[in-house]
């Protein structure tokens, strides 16, 4: 089992890089190359690709900054599928689904819609609320387990948004992806001098669900959500504490494993192992009961660890915002942490489990709906395949 918490404390150590640039490990624990912090992460581009943004750093040399959430956005597919709609294709009922999960509707990609467009639209909403120009975005983190390109969608989103000065890459951590992305973004700000970081959670699990399996197909929907995380002074720091965990022993309870059942290429020369068969992913498989038990046991512990790191009691939480998987999980965690129901953010009934999108989607609705206000403390927690789980205590605005 691996774990990471915000309680990282390293003495400042200076080292020399190959090109004699001063580098250090800051007290935040983040490795920082002062001369050009971004250079160590950039790749050599093809000559036809515009590389100017890589050749000069706009990033200040500061480390040890705080970060705050200043914008959010979300996007949904048009097609709505109700529990009654599902009852036409599998043996189930609106009553069973709503009582066991709290879900009544979900949105599913259809027609010409793509996940990449949803992610881009959500990001545009976050930039607009934050009043940040695409030119000023330094980093785009695309948290998804269902990219449309095997090599990731982040750079496509970057291109679509016109964020020509940004570095972009994908993060895969299933339903914990957004929480992992938010922690990653805050570390780039804290130790790397990055100013504006877009964190996007976006998934289309409808494409990996077995629509004849009533145990899983009733749960999932597609969506995208995004936030803009911005550098600020230590005093204004809204990123109060976090806890991240993973445990591969639980992979058997929730996965969509690659299978090589494809056709042998025609020119395979009778060699059984070469060329390799074209692989594809199996549909999502889940032991619902085990995942349920894992969530109600680990999520409260994780939130308590993040609160501990923040030095705050659970009574300071204004909003509990969990990955939207099952209303019974949300209620059980709230109960365990003694958080009253009026402090729970939940839109599960409308959209089901949208994986990495569920937290930023619910946050966006709560902010735009006037529930979450500047200064409110939110406890966010994601959990899912891996198994992975993690929590963040954050102040909005
Ligand atoms: N409609 C009607 N009956 C159903 C359905 C359905 N859709 N699904 C299952 N049943 C039946 C089962 O066959 C079983 O019948 P039986 O008693 O005759 O055998 C009965 O209902 C009970 O089934 P369970 O699977 O035991 O139902 P449970 O109460 O555990 O609920 C559920 C299932 C909703 C999936 C729940 O276990 C759950 O929410 N688990 C957590 C899922 C989760 O949080 N995932 C998050 C991560 S997702 C990610 O990371 C990608």
């Amino acid at each position: 089992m691996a774990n990471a918490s915000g309680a990282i404390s390293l003495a400042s150590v200076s080292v020399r890089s190959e090109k004699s640039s001063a580098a250090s490990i800051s007290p935040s624990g983040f490795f920082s190359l002062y001369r050009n912090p971004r250079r160590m992460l950039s790749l050599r581009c093809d000559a036809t690709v515009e590389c100017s943004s890589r050749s000069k750093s706009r990033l200040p040399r500061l480390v040890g900054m705080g970060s705050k959430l200043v914008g959010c956005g979300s996007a949904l597919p048009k097609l709505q599928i109700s529990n009654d709609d599902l009852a036409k294709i599998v043996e189930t009922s609106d009553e069973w689904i709503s009582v066991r999960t709290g879900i009544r509707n979900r949105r599913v990609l259809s027609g010409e819609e793509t996940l990449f467009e949803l992610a881009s639209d959500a990001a545009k909403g976050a930039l607009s609320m934050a009043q940040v120009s695409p030119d000023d975005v330094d980093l785009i983190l695309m948290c998804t387990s269902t990219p449309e390109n095997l090599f990731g969608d982040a750079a496509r989103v970057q291109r679509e948004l016109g964020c020509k000065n940004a570095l972009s890459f994908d993060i895969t951590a299933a339903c914990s992806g957004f929480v992992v992305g938010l922690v990653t973004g805050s570390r780039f700000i804290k130790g790397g001098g990055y100013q504006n970081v877009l964190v996007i959670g976006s998934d289309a699990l409808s494409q990996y669900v077995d629509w004849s399996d009533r145990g899983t197909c009733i749960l999932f929907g597609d969506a995208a959500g995004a936030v803009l995380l911005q550098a600020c002074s230590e005093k204004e720091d809204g990123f109060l504490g976090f806890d991240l965990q993973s445990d591969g022993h639980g992979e058997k309870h929730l996965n969509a494993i690659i299978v090589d059942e494809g056709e042998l290429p025609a020119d395979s020369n009778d060699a059984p192992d070469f060329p390799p068969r074209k692989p594809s992913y199996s549909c999502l498989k889940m032991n619902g009961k085990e995942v349920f038990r894992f969530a109600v046991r680990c999520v409260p512990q994780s939130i308590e660890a993040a609160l501990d790191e923040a030095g705050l009691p659970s009574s300071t939480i204004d909003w509990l915002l969990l990955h939207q998987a099952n209303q019974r999980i949300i209620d059980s965690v709230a109960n365990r942490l003694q958080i009253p129901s009026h402090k729970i953010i939940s839109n599960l009934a409308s959209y089901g489990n949208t994986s990495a999108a569920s937290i930023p989607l619910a946050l966006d609705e709560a902010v735009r709906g006037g529930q979450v206000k500047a200064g409110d403390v939110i406890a966010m927690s994601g959990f899912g395949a891996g198994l992975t789980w993690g929590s963040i205590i954050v102040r909005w605005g």
Side-chain angles (χ1 to χ4, degrees):
M1 183 185 292
N3 75 71
S5 81
I8 303 167
S9 171
L10 287 176
S12 191
V13 184
S14 282
V15 293
R16 290 254 142 212
S17 75
E18 276 175 57
K19 291 187 177 171
S20 306
S21 297
S24 77
I25 299 173
S26 75
S28 68
F30 194 99
F31 186 86
S32 171
L33 185 60
Y34 286 100
R35 192 170 60 88
N36 184 345
R38 202 194 267 153
R39 187 159 291 164
M40 63 183 176
L41 293 164
S42 60
L43 295 172
R44 187 89 190 97
C45 304
D46 185 271
T48 59
V49 175
E50 174 61 64
C51 292
S52 60
S53 65
R54 299 282 182 262
S55 63
K56 59 178 194 305
S57 173
R58 300 174 309 104
L59 300 173
R61 274 82 170 152
L62 294 172
V63 291
M65 300 179 90
S67 50
K68 57 183 181 179
L69 289 168
V70 292
C72 56
S74 61
L76 289 156
K78 287 189 195 72
L79 181 64
Q80 177 168 292
I81 303 292
S82 69
N83 291 346
D84 287 335
D85 293 330
L86 288 178
K88 291 175 193 154
I89 60 169
V90 287
E91 205 181 322
T92 190
S93 65
D94 175 49
E95 194 198 351
W96 194 97
I97 301 171
S98 54
V99 168
R100 298 276 180 137
T101 70
I103 301 167
R104 289 190 176 275
N105 289 291
R106 70 284 294 143
R107 301 290 184 91
V108 172
L109 285 175
S110 65
E112 303 286 301
E113 290 175 328
T114 65
L115 188 65
F116 150 72
E117 283 165 358
L118 290 187
S120 303
D121 287 348
K124 284 174 191 166
L127 286 178
S128 161
M129 185 188 286
Q131 298 186 316
V132 166
S133 144
D135 284 351
D136 293 328
V137 175
D138 304 305
L139 178 64
I140 299 172
L141 299 174
M142 175 77 171
C143 311
T144 184
S145 302
T146 56
E148 286 161 358
N149 180 338
L150 176 69
F151 302 115
D153 283 346
R156 286 173 81 199
V157 172
Q158 174 191 0
R159 185 191 65 206
E160 171 68 17
L161 298 175
C163 297
K164 58 181 186 293
N165 297 311
L167 164 73
S168 59
F169 59 91
D170 284 46
I171 289 179
T172 302
C175 303
S176 311
F178 178 75
V179 168
V180 174
L182 210 48
V183 172
T184 305
S186 77
R187 300 303 94 178
F188 270 78
I189 288 174
K190 195 167 182 63
Y194 285 63
Q195 293 284 300
N196 291 302
V197 178
L198 255 179
V199 184
I200 305 167
S202 118
D203 263 316
L205 281 176
S206 69
Q207 292 168 356
Y208 295 89
V209 157
D210 176 353
W211 288 98
S212 65
D213 172 16
R214 67 179 183 172
T216 53
C217 77
I218 55 149
L219 300 172
F220 298 100
D222 306 335
V227 295
L228 198 283
L229 195 60
Q230 194 166 62
C232 62
S233 67
E234 291 273 23
K235 208 172 141 202
E236 291 176 294
D237 194 4
F239 202 94
L240 308 174
F242 73 90
D243 171 72
L244 294 181
Q245 308 271 346
S246 61
D247 182 0
H249 291 98
E251 184 200 20
K252 57 182 178 285
H253 299 313
L254 179 52
N255 57 59
I257 301 281
I258 211 161
V259 285
D260 66 349
E261 287 164 354
E263 297 285 311
L264 264 182
D267 54 352
S268 61
N269 295 330
D270 296 329
D273 297 325
F274 190 82
R277 289 166 196 245
K278 189 164 168 277
S280 60
Y281 289 101
S282 69
C283 286
L284 183 151
K285 294 196 175 66
M286 181 173 72
N287 179 334
K289 275 202 184 320
E290 283 300 332
V291 176
F292 193 100
R293 278 194 205 109
F294 141 72
V296 297
R297 188 180 71 250
C298 294
V299 172
Q301 287 172 6
S302 175
I303 293 174
E304 278 164 357
L307 280 168
D308 215 35
E309 159 63 14
L312 296 172
S314 67
S315 57
T316 54
I317 295 173
D318 295 304
W319 299 105
L320 179 68
L321 175 44
L322 301 191
H323 165 50
Q324 307 283 295
N326 186 316
Q327 193 60 43
R328 289 188 293 140
I329 294 175
I330 296 173
D331 293 341
S332 162
V333 172
N335 198 26
R336 164 89 185 269
L337 296 171
Q338 297 184 310
I339 295 173
S341 58
H342 68 269
K343 292 187 174 183
I344 295 173
I345 295 175
S346 174
N347 63 4
L348 186 69
S350 307
Y351 309 119
N353 179 343
T354 56
S355 192
S358 85
I359 293 177
L361 171 64
L363 177 69
D364 187 45
E365 284 201 347
V367 169
R368 288 175 195 271
Q371 267 180 291
V372 170
K373 298 190 175 60
D376 284 358
V377 173
I378 309 168
M380 297 178 183
S381 194
F383 55 90
L387 297 173
T388 56
W389 66 105
S391 306
I392 306 176
I393 310 299
V394 72
R395 194 183 300 115
W396 172 256

